mmCIF file of all heavy atoms in Angstrom:
data_model
loop_
_atom_site.group_PDB
_atom_site.id
_atom_site.type_symbol
_atom_site.label_atom_id
_atom_site.label_comp_id
_atom_site.label_asym_id
_atom_site.label_seq_id
_atom_site.Cartn_x
_atom_site.Cartn_y
_atom_site.Cartn_z
ATOM 1 N N PRO A 461 -3.864 -30.593 -5.654
ATOM 2 C CA PRO A 461 -4.464 -31.708 -6.329
ATOM 3 C C PRO A 461 -5.301 -31.259 -7.549
ATOM 4 O O PRO A 461 -5.919 -30.216 -7.507
ATOM 5 C CB PRO A 461 -5.395 -32.342 -5.255
ATOM 6 C CG PRO A 461 -5.549 -31.260 -4.218
ATOM 7 C CD PRO A 461 -4.314 -30.396 -4.279
ATOM 8 N N ILE A 487 -5.654 -27.212 11.290
ATOM 9 C CA ILE A 487 -6.424 -28.103 10.382
ATOM 10 C C ILE A 487 -7.917 -27.862 10.648
ATOM 11 O O ILE A 487 -8.726 -27.644 9.730
ATOM 12 C CB ILE A 487 -6.069 -29.576 10.566
ATOM 13 C CG1 ILE A 487 -4.577 -29.805 10.325
ATOM 14 C CG2 ILE A 487 -6.940 -30.463 9.660
ATOM 15 C CD1 ILE A 487 -4.140 -29.565 8.929
ATOM 16 N N PHE A 630 -3.249 -38.281 6.114
ATOM 17 C CA PHE A 630 -2.400 -37.496 5.193
ATOM 18 C C PHE A 630 -1.171 -37.015 5.934
ATOM 19 O O PHE A 630 -1.066 -37.127 7.184
ATOM 20 C CB PHE A 630 -3.164 -36.349 4.548
ATOM 21 C CG PHE A 630 -3.810 -35.363 5.481
ATOM 22 C CD1 PHE A 630 -3.139 -34.222 5.867
ATOM 23 C CD2 PHE A 630 -5.080 -35.574 5.949
ATOM 24 C CE1 PHE A 630 -3.722 -33.297 6.721
ATOM 25 C CE2 PHE A 630 -5.697 -34.662 6.815
ATOM 26 C CZ PHE A 630 -5.007 -33.510 7.181
ATOM 27 N N VAL A 633 1.034 -30.440 6.316
ATOM 28 C CA VAL A 633 0.424 -29.367 5.554
ATOM 29 C C VAL A 633 1.247 -28.117 5.794
ATOM 30 O O VAL A 633 1.714 -27.860 6.867
ATOM 31 C CB VAL A 633 -1.064 -29.170 5.883
ATOM 32 C CG1 VAL A 633 -1.894 -30.271 5.350
ATOM 33 C CG2 VAL A 633 -1.258 -29.014 7.399
ATOM 34 N N MET A 666 1.414 -30.357 1.654
ATOM 35 C CA MET A 666 0.249 -29.926 0.851
ATOM 36 C C MET A 666 -0.266 -28.675 1.539
ATOM 37 O O MET A 666 -0.101 -28.474 2.748
ATOM 38 C CB MET A 666 -0.794 -31.023 0.816
ATOM 39 C CG MET A 666 -2.033 -30.719 -0.063
ATOM 40 S SD MET A 666 -3.281 -31.996 -0.006
ATOM 41 C CE MET A 666 -2.571 -33.242 -1.039
ATOM 42 N N LEU A 667 -0.925 -27.806 0.767
ATOM 43 C CA LEU A 667 -1.530 -26.610 1.341
ATOM 44 C C LEU A 667 -2.698 -26.993 2.229
ATOM 45 O O LEU A 667 -3.460 -27.937 1.914
ATOM 46 C CB LEU A 667 -2.040 -25.684 0.234
ATOM 47 C CG LEU A 667 -0.967 -24.957 -0.569
ATOM 48 C CD1 LEU A 667 -1.597 -24.265 -1.762
ATOM 49 C CD2 LEU A 667 -0.234 -23.918 0.291
ATOM 50 N N ILE A 668 -2.881 -26.270 3.356
ATOM 51 C CA ILE A 668 -3.970 -26.599 4.261
ATOM 52 C C ILE A 668 -5.357 -26.582 3.597
ATOM 53 O O ILE A 668 -6.130 -27.536 3.771
ATOM 54 C CB ILE A 668 -3.959 -25.638 5.478
ATOM 55 C CG1 ILE A 668 -2.701 -25.826 6.327
ATOM 56 C CG2 ILE A 668 -5.195 -25.835 6.388
ATOM 57 C CD1 ILE A 668 -2.579 -24.888 7.504
ATOM 58 N N PRO A 669 -5.728 -25.524 2.823
ATOM 59 C CA PRO A 669 -7.049 -25.535 2.231
ATOM 60 C C PRO A 669 -7.297 -26.743 1.302
ATOM 61 O O PRO A 669 -8.372 -27.350 1.325
ATOM 62 C CB PRO A 669 -7.114 -24.226 1.418
ATOM 63 C CG PRO A 669 -6.116 -23.359 2.096
ATOM 64 C CD PRO A 669 -5.030 -24.246 2.529
ATOM 65 N N GLU A 670 -6.277 -27.101 0.480
ATOM 66 C CA GLU A 670 -6.450 -28.222 -0.460
ATOM 67 C C GLU A 670 -6.549 -29.549 0.316
ATOM 68 O O GLU A 670 -7.357 -30.369 -0.041
ATOM 69 C CB GLU A 670 -5.281 -28.278 -1.433
ATOM 70 C CG GLU A 670 -5.365 -27.283 -2.582
ATOM 71 C CD GLU A 670 -5.134 -25.861 -2.139
ATOM 72 O OE1 GLU A 670 -4.541 -25.620 -1.082
ATOM 73 O OE2 GLU A 670 -5.537 -24.951 -2.913
ATOM 74 N N ALA A 671 -5.725 -29.705 1.342
ATOM 75 C CA ALA A 671 -5.816 -30.932 2.169
ATOM 76 C C ALA A 671 -7.186 -31.055 2.795
ATOM 77 O O ALA A 671 -7.782 -32.142 2.795
ATOM 78 C CB ALA A 671 -4.710 -30.907 3.232
ATOM 79 N N CYS A 672 -7.693 -29.947 3.343
ATOM 80 C CA CYS A 672 -9.001 -29.997 3.995
ATOM 81 C C CYS A 672 -10.135 -30.242 3.023
ATOM 82 O O CYS A 672 -11.105 -30.948 3.333
ATOM 83 C CB CYS A 672 -9.220 -28.690 4.792
ATOM 84 S SG CYS A 672 -8.141 -28.536 6.215
ATOM 85 N N GLN A 673 -10.021 -29.685 1.831
ATOM 86 C CA GLN A 673 -11.045 -29.936 0.812
ATOM 87 C C GLN A 673 -11.019 -31.431 0.427
ATOM 88 O O GLN A 673 -12.073 -32.017 0.179
ATOM 89 C CB GLN A 673 -10.815 -29.060 -0.416
ATOM 90 C CG GLN A 673 -11.233 -27.606 -0.146
ATOM 91 C CD GLN A 673 -11.040 -26.743 -1.386
ATOM 92 O OE1 GLN A 673 -10.322 -27.085 -2.316
ATOM 93 N NE2 GLN A 673 -11.720 -25.617 -1.415
ATOM 94 N N LEU A 674 -9.818 -32.016 0.303
ATOM 95 C CA LEU A 674 -9.717 -33.422 -0.057
ATOM 96 C C LEU A 674 -10.277 -34.308 1.058
ATOM 97 O O LEU A 674 -10.864 -35.344 0.837
ATOM 98 C CB LEU A 674 -8.264 -33.825 -0.336
ATOM 99 C CG LEU A 674 -7.755 -33.484 -1.739
ATOM 100 C CD1 LEU A 674 -6.310 -33.884 -1.893
ATOM 101 C CD2 LEU A 674 -8.592 -34.125 -2.839
ATOM 102 N N VAL A 675 -10.127 -33.870 2.342
ATOM 103 C CA VAL A 675 -10.729 -34.592 3.445
ATOM 104 C C VAL A 675 -12.237 -34.628 3.292
ATOM 105 O O VAL A 675 -12.885 -35.668 3.406
ATOM 106 C CB VAL A 675 -10.330 -33.941 4.788
ATOM 107 C CG1 VAL A 675 -11.252 -34.463 5.923
ATOM 108 C CG2 VAL A 675 -8.879 -34.181 5.103
ATOM 109 N N LEU A 676 -12.838 -33.485 2.968
ATOM 110 C CA LEU A 676 -14.255 -33.385 2.810
ATOM 111 C C LEU A 676 -14.731 -34.162 1.577
ATOM 112 O O LEU A 676 -15.793 -34.835 1.581
ATOM 113 C CB LEU A 676 -14.704 -31.907 2.669
ATOM 114 C CG LEU A 676 -14.489 -31.051 3.914
ATOM 115 C CD1 LEU A 676 -14.841 -29.601 3.627
ATOM 116 C CD2 LEU A 676 -15.267 -31.572 5.105
ATOM 117 N N LEU A 690 -4.635 -39.622 1.381
ATOM 118 C CA LEU A 690 -4.472 -38.542 0.384
ATOM 119 C C LEU A 690 -3.111 -38.648 -0.283
ATOM 120 O O LEU A 690 -2.091 -38.823 0.408
ATOM 121 C CB LEU A 690 -4.619 -37.164 1.053
ATOM 122 C CG LEU A 690 -5.899 -36.913 1.844
ATOM 123 C CD1 LEU A 690 -5.922 -35.449 2.260
ATOM 124 C CD2 LEU A 690 -7.143 -37.239 0.999
ATOM 125 N N MET A 692 -0.032 -37.325 -1.443
ATOM 126 C CA MET A 692 0.682 -36.090 -1.096
ATOM 127 C C MET A 692 1.785 -35.756 -2.072
ATOM 128 O O MET A 692 2.579 -34.792 -1.829
ATOM 129 C CB MET A 692 1.301 -36.227 0.327
ATOM 130 C CG MET A 692 0.325 -36.541 1.434
ATOM 131 S SD MET A 692 -0.823 -35.178 1.744
ATOM 132 C CE MET A 692 0.229 -33.993 2.513
#
Side-chain angles (χ1 to χ4, degrees):
I487 302 294
F630 58 92
V633 287
M666 185 182 283
L667 289 170
I668 294 178
E670 281 72 19
C672 291
Q673 285 182 341
L674 280 179
V675 166
L676 296 176
L690 303 187
M692 302 294 289

